[in-house]
Amino acid sequence: MPNTPNPTDTCPIPLRHDDVIVTAHGGGGRMTRRLIEEVFAKAFDNPLLRQLHDGATFSVGDGKLAMTTDSYVVQPLFFPGGDIGSLAIYGTVNDLAMCGARPLYLTTGFILEEGLPIETLKRVVASMQRCAEEAGVQIVSGDTKVVERGRGDGLYINTAGIGVVEHNLEIGAKSIKPGDVILLSGDVGRHGIAVLGARGELALEMPVESDCAALWKPVEALLESGIEIHCLRDLTRGGLATALIELATDSGLEFSITESAIPVQDVVRGACELLGFDPIYLANEGRFIAIVPEADAEKGLRELRRFTKDCEPALIGSTNSAEHGRVWLKTVVGMERPLDLLSGEQLPRIC
Amino acid sequence: MPNTPNPTDTCPIPLRHDDVIVTAHGGGGRMTRRLIEEVFAKAFDNPLLRQLHDGATFSVGDGKLAMTTDSYVVQPLFFPGGDIGSLAIYGTVNDLAMCGARPLYLTTGFILEEGLPIETLKRVVASMQRCAEEAGVQIVSGDTKVVERGRGDGLYINTAGIGVVEHNLEIGAKSIKPGDVILLSGDVGRHGIAVLGARGELALEMPVESDCAALWKPVEALLESGIEIHCLRDLTRGGLATALIELATDSGLEFSITESAIPVQDVVRGACELLGFDPIYLANEGRFIAIVPEADAEKGLRELRRFTKDCEPALIGSTNSAEHGRVWLKTVVGMERPLDLLSGEQLPRIC
């Protein structure tokens, strides 16, 4: 393949056998992708894992199912708009939704640190149950482990989930076609700033609320409206930019994105300017992109609007055939620049 | 309900709202059960969770599935006969097998501590893949999080799994009937002693090998032989004794167990005598009990023998109707004593 480098092939820090884990391996950027490709994908290689989507889809009997998992290590445990429990439910529900699957059942595994107040655990568990009810899923099995003081951080949660696929679409990067449009479900960057604010590392005039939300209902609406969805991706670690770069890489297409079309709340933009962050790399927990045929753009936006209260869904770009998958951002000053995976870590432990 | 106390109702340390998590909450004994009942089962209550089995079974389309999860925090990561990776695969495969489900797909979530050598991670991942292949399952989706130094312990793994139920038996505590027999698949206590030995806390003449193994094949053989399996339970945290007490409690039956019938390796028995442990409370990772009609006892033992190399499956007891579920152990000296859940913790972090 010719000279334009694939973003993941330019990792400045190769994964050598004498390397150790650093926090950037968990940041969702280049080092995370490299770790996944070099260690996990290589060893566990199979066709389902190779889908490299938010979850795996497969058939069991006459049904098509999706299955996914995520661990949650957010610090602090509680923040404006959510907590580790709501993340643990919504995060896994959303990964299923991104497979176009109706979330059905979750499992949950707790790793508790000695000394955690049981009252704290009860608050988190109550939040999980509220969110599970709202998202229409049941927690059907669980596990609890305890580690000594100083071997954890209060509590870590893993959730895994299965959902059922009730349509015949192939939703994934490989289904994206040149000429598709990219719809964004709402404003970006709030979750990252909300967690940072809750850590007290940021003197915000008003607390920013996380966008933390379940995404199955808007996805269901898109499916029921008959739109030919090509791809869905929620914008968690690494934010909108990372999701776009990964999908461009995996589809082999060029994405053209218009920066001015991306909704960002003023308070988030202000915090980003202060801290030198780019809001499109900040984590979200209730936002996604839908990549659909251009003809379905208006219908898609209309459906997405039904599920937003305080922000506007937007058409932010389109896809074109190209020699290599990559993302071009038309900036607010009219320049075009390629987006790249973060090589380090912007904000650790935001989910 | 009259006077014989239910073992779980005699917890000396009630779960007060100002309590904190202690290591015994993860030990698999009385405090674990109390935590699950008071915090998790109460909040997440639903019919599937109420099965309180190793996994949940439910229908999707025309199929019947089982789903389960476990987190693994064993220390050290490597021990004779296994490692955290083999535990993470076998543990979840075995929970599915105990539902009578053929294991199909696993997800895996890693929580890595900053500073973990990638070489260590690769060894664990390679072990997971070997065990997955041996057990006939595929790892289809995963997640990686990184926590700062001093907020973890090398690595923690969560696996969740789904399997398919291909028979019409109702396998669970509620299906146990008076007059059933209890078959034990092999010798007990090895995993607990193996991990303790690997910690260097024990001067063993010969290292004890963990019994760590996948249990689907012997379960499949029992199913294919046409035996009417009433209940299956693997003997992990809390060992054989805890599994028996929980099943007696949940079935409302009395179990009579003959201590001399329980296979224990000499080296395990020796270590237990030295340390004051009872082998029937020690963790195993490749042993289970099958509770079946008396008429199927011989056939069951014959099938189980096909899967043991260095130990003998055994008929260790039977079930009787009673006012309350409990377990009586006929000791080697001929006395009968009731078994009780451990109130503290015997060995922390053995899985």
Side-chain angles (χ1 to χ4, degrees):
Chain A
M1 305 274 263
N3 34 21
T4 320
N6 176 314
T8 62
D9 286 335
T10 57
C11 178
I13 311 162
L15 195 67
R16 296 191 317 275
H17 77 281
D18 55 346
D19 268 347
V20 299
I21 292 294
V22 296
T23 55
H25 281 123
R30 187 174 299 187
M31 288 185 70
T32 304
R33 190 160 168 123
R34 181 59 68 112
L35 182 73
I36 290 169
E37 286 173 357
E38 290 292 310
V39 178
F40 300 113
K42 202 173 267 181
F44 296 152
D45 186 49
N46 65 61
L48 293 174
L49 190 69
R50 234 172 285 143
Q51 297 171 350
L52 279 179
H53 199 63
D54 286 330
T57 53
F58 46 81
S59 296
V60 178
D62 65 349
K64 193 171 165 196
L65 298 178
M67 187 176 188
T68 189
T69 192
D70 261 319
S71 297
Y72 300 87
V73 300
V74 67
Q75 194 53 239
L77 300 176
F78 302 91
F79 47 83
D83 57 68
I84 190 171
S86 53
L87 287 190
I89 300 297
Y90 292 151
T92 293
V93 161
N94 292 352
D95 281 348
L96 293 171
M98 295 306 114
C99 301
R102 177 189 304 281
L104 294 178
Y105 301 117
L106 303 190
T107 62
T108 178
F110 290 86
I111 297 177
L112 309 177
E113 187 191 12
E114 194 186 4
L116 175 76
I118 286 178
E119 199 51 38
T120 304
L121 179 61
K122 283 187 173 174
R123 270 180 72 195
V124 169
V125 164
S127 165
M128 291 177 77
Q129 178 60 14
R130 261 196 315 276
C131 296
E133 281 172 22
E134 185 212 314
V137 292
Q138 284 182 19
I139 296 163
V140 296
S141 192
D143 176 59
T144 308
K145 293 291 188 304
V146 177
V147 294
E148 300 87 349
R149 217 178 276 265
R151 304 288 178 180
D153 202 3
L155 78 162
Y156 299 141
I157 304 177
N158 175 283
T159 48
I162 65 162
V164 60
V165 178
E166 298 164 323
H167 54 77
N168 293 315
L169 299 171
E170 287 284 338
I171 294 175
K174 297 291 178 215
S175 300
I176 304 173
K177 292 184 179 54
D180 281 352
V181 292
I182 300 165
L183 308 180
L184 169 62
S185 72
D187 66 306
V188 300
R190 272 204 264 151
H191 178 70
I193 297 296
V195 170
L196 202 64
R199 283 188 200 154
E201 293 172 24
L202 203 55
L204 294 168
E205 285 184 30
M206 274 171 53
V208 172
E209 285 229 334
S210 168
D211 58 298
C212 192
L215 295 176
W216 167 243
K217 282 181 185 157
V219 169
E220 185 183 30
L222 291 176
L223 287 166
E224 285 180 352
S225 74
I227 289 174
E228 187 189 315
I229 300 171
H230 290 163
C231 190
L232 299 167
R233 178 65 60 96
D234 58 343
L235 314 175
T236 54
R237 274 188 295 185
L240 171 64
T242 303
L244 290 169
I245 295 162
E246 289 187 347
L247 293 180
T249 305
D250 294 344
S251 67
L253 298 175
E254 198 169 80
F255 291 8
S256 303
I257 306 295
T258 304
E259 191 173 23
S260 61
I262 301 167
V264 181
Q265 282 193 354
D266 285 344
V267 56
V268 171
R269 199 180 297 281
C272 281
E273 278 166 13
L274 207 68
L275 297 161
F277 289 155
D278 188 340
I280 65 173
Y281 284 93
L282 282 179
N284 314 272
E285 288 291 339
R287 297 289 177 259
F288 71 106
I289 49 175
I291 305 186
V292 302
E294 195 182 0
D296 283 333
E298 268 318 305
K299 205 194 219 180
L301 288 173
R302 204 159 54 231
E303 291 301 325
L304 290 177
R305 264 182 221 117
R306 292 171 46 208
F307 300 91
T308 54
K309 290 188 295 276
D310 46 2
C311 64
E312 229 354 53
L315 193 162
I316 60 163
S318 59
T319 67
N320 309 289
S321 55
E323 269 194 79
H324 294 288
R326 66 188 309 162
V327 182
W328 289 95
L329 184 75
K330 190 183 282 174
T331 66
V332 283
V333 295
M335 303 224 313
E336 277 210 301
R337 66 174 176 93
L339 291 186
D340 214 345
L341 289 177
L342 288 183
S343 52
E345 181 172 40
Q346 193 156 280
L347 290 174
R349 295 180 60 187
I350 43 72
C351 62
Chain B
M1 306 272 263
N3 33 21
T4 320
N6 176 315
T8 61
D9 286 333
T10 57
C11 177
I13 310 162
L15 195 67
R16 297 189 318 274
H17 77 281
D18 56 345
D19 268 348
V20 298
I21 292 295
V22 295
T23 53
H25 281 122
R30 189 175 299 189
M31 288 186 72
T32 304
R33 189 155 169 130
R34 182 59 69 109
L35 182 74
I36 290 169
E37 286 173 356
E38 290 291 311
V39 178
F40 300 114
K42 202 174 264 182
F44 296 151
D45 185 50
N46 64 62
L48 293 175
L49 190 68
R50 233 171 286 142
Q51 298 171 349
L52 278 179
H53 200 63
D54 285 330
T57 52
F58 45 80
S59 297
V60 177
D62 65 350
K64 194 172 166 195
L65 298 178
M67 187 175 188
T68 188
T69 192
D70 262 319
S71 297
Y72 300 87
V73 300
V74 67
Q75 194 55 239
L77 300 176
F78 303 91
F79 47 84
D83 57 68
I84 189 170
S86 52
L87 286 190
I89 300 297
Y90 292 151
T92 294
V93 161
N94 292 352
D95 281 349
L96 293 171
M98 295 305 114
C99 301
R102 175 189 305 281
L104 294 179
Y105 300 117
L106 302 191
T107 62
T108 177
F110 290 85
I111 298 177
L112 309 177
E113 186 191 12
E114 194 185 3
L116 175 76
I118 286 177
E119 199 50 37
T120 305
L121 179 61
K122 283 187 172 173
R123 269 180 73 194
V124 169
V125 163
S127 164
M128 291 177 78
Q129 178 59 15
R130 261 195 316 276
C131 296
E133 280 171 21
E134 184 212 314
V137 293
Q138 285 182 18
I139 295 163
V140 295
S141 192
D143 176 60
T144 309
K145 294 290 187 305
V146 177
V147 295
E148 301 87 348
R149 218 178 274 265
R151 305 289 177 180
D153 202 3
L155 79 161
Y156 298 141
I157 303 177
N158 174 284
T159 47
I162 65 163
V164 61
V165 179
E166 298 165 323
H167 53 78
N168 293 315
L169 299 171
E170 287 284 338
I171 294 175
K174 298 291 179 216
S175 299
I176 304 173
K177 292 184 179 54
D180 281 352
V181 292
I182 300 165
L183 309 181
L184 170 61
S185 71
D187 66 307
V188 300
R190 272 205 264 151
H191 179 69
I193 297 297
V195 171
L196 202 65
R199 283 187 201 153
E201 293 172 24
L202 203 54
L204 294 169
E205 285 184 30
M206 275 172 52
V208 172
E209 284 229 336
S210 169
D211 58 297
C212 193
L215 295 176
W216 167 244
K217 281 181 185 156
V219 169
E220 186 183 30
L222 291 176
L223 286 166
E224 285 180 352
S225 74
I227 289 175
E228 186 189 315
I229 300 171
H230 290 164
C231 191
L232 299 167
R233 178 65 60 96
D234 57 343
L235 312 176
T236 54
R237 275 187 295 185
L240 171 64
T242 303
L244 290 169
I245 295 162
E246 288 186 348
L247 293 180
T249 306
D250 294 344
S251 66
L253 298 174
E254 200 169 79
F255 291 9
S256 303
I257 307 295
T258 304
E259 192 174 24
S260 61
I262 300 168
V264 181
Q265 282 193 352
D266 286 344
V267 54
V268 171
R269 198 181 297 283
C272 281
E273 277 167 14
L274 207 69
L275 297 161
F277 289 156
D278 188 340
I280 64 173
Y281 284 93
L282 281 179
N284 313 273
E285 288 292 338
R287 297 290 176 259
F288 71 106
I289 49 175
I291 304 185
V292 303
E294 196 183 357
D296 285 331
E298 269 317 306
K299 204 195 221 180
L301 288 173
R302 204 161 50 232
E303 291 301 328
L304 290 177
R305 264 182 221 119
R306 292 173 45 208
F307 301 91
T308 54
K309 292 187 294 277
D310 47 2
C311 64
E312 220 11 40
L315 193 163
I316 61 164
S318 59
T319 66
N320 309 289
S321 54
E323 270 194 78
H324 295 289
R326 66 185 313 158
V327 182
W328 289 95
L329 184 77
K330 190 184 284 176
T331 66
V332 282
V333 294
M335 304 224 315
E336 278 209 301
R337 67 176 175 93
L339 291 186
D340 214 346
L341 289 176
L342 288 183
S343 52
E345 182 172 37
Q346 192 157 280
L347 289 173
R349 296 180 59 188
I350 44 72
C351 61

